[in-house]
Amino acid sequence: MKKQKNTENTSKLQIIPLGGLEQIGMNITAFRYEDSIIVVDCGLSFPDDDMLGIDLVIPDVTYLIDNIDKVKGFVITHGHEDHIGALPYILKEVNAPVYATRLTMGLIEHKLEEHGLMRSTRRKVVKFGQFINLGDFRVEFIKTNHSIVDAAALAIYSPAGIVVHTGDFKVDYTPVYGDPIDLQRFGEIGKKGVLALLCDSTNAERPGFTASERTVGATLDTLFREHKKSRIIVATFASNVDRVQQIINAAYQYDRKVVVEGRSMVTVIDIAQKLECIKVPDNTLIDIDELKNYPDNKQVIITTGSQGESMAALSRMAGGQHKKISIKPGDTVIFSSTPIPGNEKSVTNVVNELMMKGAEVIFQDVHVSGHACQEDIKLIYNLVKPKYSVPVHGEYRHLIAQKEIALKLGIPKENTFILKSGDILEMDQNSARIHGKVPTGAVLVDGIGVGDVGNVVLRDRQRLAQDGIVIAVVGIDKGSGQLVSGPTIVSRGFVYVKESDELIEDATDLVLDEVTEVLSRGITDWPKIKNLIKDILSDFIWKKTKRRPMILPIIMDN
C-alpha cells in the first residue's frame, strides 16, 4: 500500500550533524523530513599529531549509506577543504547530485576528475537567489562574503518551517570581488518566520566587527612600497582568491612579475582565472623558470605554506629543499595569515629557518578573518529572528560563545541547542528536542586506503614511534620439531645494535633457551611458542632498558 503524504504537517524536521561540531573542520550536516534527506557540505579535517602517517580524516556517513534511497543531494556552501574535501570519498558510497555555486563547483570538479568521478556524479551550478527542489525540501542560495569567492548561505524550506544555514561567512560591505552579503534577503526571509538559525561560530568569542578584506590591500601596498629593493615572497591560503587578487594588484602597481608556487595554489588560481573570479593583468603572471630573467626587486612569489606545513612550498624553500627557489639574504617574506591553533610550532620553525637564511619575516596586519565576529553574528540574528538557535562550525567553546550571544538577544535558553555530532534535533513550530543519535566518527585516509587504518593500527604506529620494534626469528623443522636455525634478533628504532651487542646477545641466549626447552617438552603449537617468545623478550627488555618496544616473533618452517 502506497504511503500517503502527511497533510496535517505533524511530522518533524530533523537536523543531524555528522561532523563539524566540537572541532574545526569536517563539516557535514543532514536535514531530514519524512523520506527526504539533504546533506549540507561534505568536508574533511586534517590529522592530529598522534595520527601517524594519516593524510586526511573524513566523516563516517553510515547514516547516509543506511538511508541512501532518501538522500536527494549534497548542497555545498563554499569551496574550502573542510566543506568539500570529503566529497570524492563519500560520493563513492552515496552517489547523489551535488549543488554548488560557480567557483565552488569548479573546485569540486577538479577533485572529481582526480578520482575519476566526473561521469558518475550529477552536478548543477546554482546562482544566488536560485531555488532547487529536493524531495520535501526547497533550498535557496543567498550571497555571503567569506575568504573565498562565491560563498553562500542557505535558506532551507521544509513543511515544518524555514531553516537558515549561514555557512562560513563574514559581513563585508567592500569585498574585493563581487557583491556584498545580501543582508536584504536575510531580512526578507526573517519576516516570513524562521524556525531555526544554524550560524557560523568560529569567531563568536571575538568582540566587534570583522574587518573588510580590502584593509589587507592597503597594508600590502605599504609593505611593497617599503621593500622596493627586495624580492617579496607572500605566503597565504591557496583558497583565499581575494587575498591573491590583492597581492597581484600590488605587484602590478609596483611593476613586479608574479609566480604562483604550490600545487594547491596553482590549481585554485587556474580554476578562478578560467571562471573569471580573479583578474590578472596581462604579462604579470610568469612561469617559475622565467624568474632568472628578472632582478629580485621585480619578483613576487605567492606561495602555500603559511601554516608551516612540512611539504608546502614555503617550508621547502626555508629548508633549502625547493628545486627552483632558494631563500637568500635580503628577501622579504610576508605571512598573510594567522596560525591555526595547533600550528604555532610549525610556523615558528619555518620562520626561524627563513631568518637563519637572512630573510626579513613580516606578520603585521597582513590578514583579516573570513568569519563573523560578535557584532556581525548579532546582525544576522536580528535580521533572521529565528525561533531556535543552533550554533555550528567550531569547537565547544565557540558554540557556547554563540549561545551566549543568542541569549543576550532574547532567545530563550530552552530554544538554544548545543549539539554533538550524531545528535538528532527534532523540531517543528511547537517544540524542539534532541531525540536519539546516529552513528558518527572519523574515517582515516592513508594513501589510497580509506578506513583500513583504525585505532589498533594507530596504537601500533604510536608504539613503533615511541619505542621501536624487536624482531626475533627462529627456524623450526615442522616434521621433527627441532630448532634448525636462529634465533636471530633484529631491532629498528629501539637500540643501535653495534653499541648494544651485549643486550642483543643476552636476549638471543634467552630466546634460544626458552625455545629449546619448549620443544623438548613436545610443544609444537606455533602460536603458543610465539607468545612465549614475546612474553620472555618483553620482560627481559623492560628490566634492562625500561622500554616496551613492539615484539614480533617470526617462526620459519625450515
Side-chain angles (χ1 to χ4, degrees):
M1 183 176 170
K2 190 177 179 182
K3 182 182 174 185
Q4 287 191 331
K5 196 78 172 172
N6 192 327
T7 56
E8 295 182 7
N9 195 22
T10 56
S11 292
K12 306 267 190 184
L13 171 67
Q14 293 183 338
I15 300 174
I16 310 166
L18 301 175
L21 298 180
E22 303 155 324
Q23 67 180 118
I24 302 292
M26 209 163 76
N27 298 288
I28 177 170
T29 306
F31 292 78
R32 179 172 180 173
Y33 186 87
E34 293 188 352
D35 289 334
S36 295
I37 294 174
I38 61 170
V39 186
V40 172
D41 291 335
C42 189
L44 54 75
S45 64
F46 293 100
D48 296 330
D49 290 341
D50 58 354
M51 295 180 178
L52 303 174
I54 299 303
D55 299 316
L56 308 168
V57 184
I58 62 175
D60 181 342
V61 291
T62 300
Y63 173 75
L64 299 181
I65 295 168
D66 291 345
N67 294 279
I68 194 165
D69 57 318
K70 301 178 180 66
V71 179
K72 306 302 179 186
F74 291 89
V75 187
I76 310 299
T77 60
H78 66 282
H80 279 154
E81 287 293 309
D82 56 335
H83 293 259
I84 67 170
L87 263 175
Y89 303 96
I90 303 305
L91 285 170
K92 291 170 185 173
E93 304 285 341
V94 184
N95 188 1
V98 179
Y99 301 85
T101 53
R102 185 184 42 158
L103 179 60
T104 307
M105 188 62 81
L107 296 169
I108 290 169
E109 288 180 344
H110 178 75
K111 291 181 176 297
L112 297 180
E113 282 174 7
E114 287 184 332
H115 287 257
L117 294 174
M118 281 290 279
R119 284 191 172 186
S120 60
T121 304
R122 288 164 290 164
R123 310 175 306 282
K124 181 172 176 59
V125 175
V126 184
K127 295 179 180 178
F128 295 112
Q130 190 173 343
F131 292 79
I132 51 173
N133 295 311
L134 298 169
D136 286 320
F137 293 99
R138 195 167 185 237
V139 182
E140 176 186 359
F141 280 65
I142 306 167
K143 177 80 177 77
T144 59
N145 304 125
H146 187 41
S147 55
I148 189 169
V149 174
D150 279 359
L154 306 172
I156 300 167
Y157 300 80
S158 79
I162 303 171
V163 173
V164 173
H165 191 306
T166 66
D168 285 356
F169 84 104
K170 67 188 281 186
V171 176
D172 194 339
Y173 301 112
T174 56
V176 172
Y177 177 90
D179 298 322
I181 182 171
D182 192 351
L183 295 175
Q184 180 180 334
R185 188 56 187 156
F186 279 99
E188 289 167 355
I189 293 168
K191 287 178 182 176
K192 294 174 191 255
V194 170
L195 185 63
L197 173 64
L198 279 67
C199 184
D200 178 10
S201 305
T202 310
N203 273 354
E205 293 178 314
R206 294 190 187 180
F209 298 89
T210 304
S212 171
E213 175 63 32
R214 277 191 190 270
T215 60
V216 176
T219 306
L220 285 167
D221 183 83
T222 301
L223 291 172
F224 273 60
R225 188 171 65 251
E226 291 174 349
H227 296 83
K228 286 183 178 178
K229 295 182 179 179
S230 67
R231 177 171 63 171
I232 295 176
I233 300 169
V234 188
T236 189
F237 291 110
S239 60
N240 197 333
V241 176
D242 285 351
R243 187 70 46 80
V244 173
Q245 177 73 75
Q246 294 188 101
I247 299 165
I248 289 172
N249 292 347
Y252 179 70
Q253 185 176 342
Y254 289 93
D255 192 28
R256 289 174 179 257
K257 301 299 182 184
V258 177
V259 166
V260 177
E261 181 57 10
R263 181 171 170 266
S264 56
M265 180 80 75
V266 171
T267 297
V268 172
I269 300 310
D270 183 50
I271 294 168
Q273 271 191 283
K274 287 175 181 173
L275 296 172
E276 298 182 350
C277 294
I278 189 170
K279 295 175 182 175
V280 182
D282 291 342
N283 302 317
T284 300
L285 275 185
I286 62 171
D287 187 80
I288 192 168
D289 292 323
E290 296 178 63
L291 276 178
K292 62 181 180 292
N293 300 329
Y294 298 91
D296 286 355
N297 64 351
K298 294 297 180 184
Q299 298 179 15
V300 174
I301 299 164
I302 307 174
T303 179
T304 55
S306 64
Q307 296 300 307
E309 308 96 313
S310 60
M311 294 307 293
L314 184 64
S315 298
R316 287 186 282 119
M317 292 176 206
Q321 297 169 340
H322 196 284
K323 291 179 180 177
K324 298 186 177 180
I325 299 173
S326 300
I327 301 296
K328 51 193 174 185
D331 284 348
T332 299
V333 182
I334 301 169
F335 277 77
S336 189
S337 69
T338 52
I340 294 169
N343 290 351
E344 295 89 349
K345 187 175 179 181
S346 299
V347 173
T348 300
N349 289 341
V350 172
V351 170
N352 285 331
E353 287 183 321
L354 290 167
M355 287 183 165
M356 285 178 198
K357 286 182 167 54
E360 179 186 357
V361 180
I362 297 172
F363 277 100
Q364 64 184 51
D365 304 322
V366 201
H367 179 68
V368 295
S369 177
H371 298 271
C373 290
Q374 289 179 359
E375 296 305 313
D376 301 316
I377 292 171
K378 289 176 187 175
L379 174 59
I380 295 298
Y381 267 89
N382 280 311
L383 288 170
V384 171
K385 295 181 170 57
K387 182 170 186 177
Y388 302 111
S389 165
V390 187
V392 293
H393 299 174
E395 298 170 5
Y396 189 75
R397 62 193 176 96
H398 301 125
L399 306 180
I400 290 293
Q402 189 185 140
K403 178 181 178 180
E404 294 301 320
I405 293 171
L407 294 175
K408 286 176 183 175
L409 293 172
I411 293 179
K413 189 175 182 180
E414 62 272 17
N415 284 10
T416 60
F417 292 90
I418 303 294
L419 301 182
K420 296 177 181 175
S421 292
D423 283 347
I424 301 173
L425 176 60
E426 285 190 344
M427 61 171 61
D428 59 16
Q429 295 293 343
N430 301 315
S431 65
R433 62 170 182 156
I434 296 172
H435 183 62
K437 206 168 178 66
V438 305
T440 56
V443 177
L444 308 180
V445 179
D446 183 359
I448 60 170
V450 179
D452 57 354
V453 175
N455 289 333
V456 174
V457 174
L458 277 185
R459 280 199 300 271
D460 284 348
R461 288 183 180 182
Q462 287 158 11
R463 282 190 64 193
L464 287 167
Q466 289 164 0
D467 294 309
I469 185 170
V470 173
I471 303 168
V473 184
V474 294
I476 298 175
D477 186 290
K478 205 163 191 179
S480 65
Q482 297 294 311
L483 179 67
V484 292
S485 66
T488 303
I489 292 181
V490 181
S491 77
R492 290 290 182 271
F494 168 55
V495 290
Y496 186 53
V497 176
K498 286 184 178 178
E499 295 177 1
S500 305
D501 289 342
E502 190 177 336
L503 177 69
I504 298 299
E505 284 175 12
D506 289 348
T508 303
D509 292 341
L510 194 66
V511 173
L512 177 61
D513 292 344
E514 180 70 18
V515 172
T516 304
E517 198 269 331
V518 165
L519 293 175
S520 69
R521 296 195 335 246
I523 296 174
T524 56
D525 183 352
W526 284 17
K528 190 170 184 180
I529 296 172
K530 283 183 179 180
N531 283 334
L532 288 168
I533 295 171
K534 189 175 180 179
D535 290 344
I536 194 169
L537 262 184
S538 183
D539 289 344
F540 171 76
I541 290 170
W542 172 253
K543 286 174 185 173
K544 294 287 185 180
T545 67
K546 292 296 183 282
R547 298 186 207 166
R548 292 203 183 278
M550 181 178 287
I551 310 292
L552 186 62
I554 298 174
I555 298 177
M556 301 180 70
D557 183 7
N558 286 29

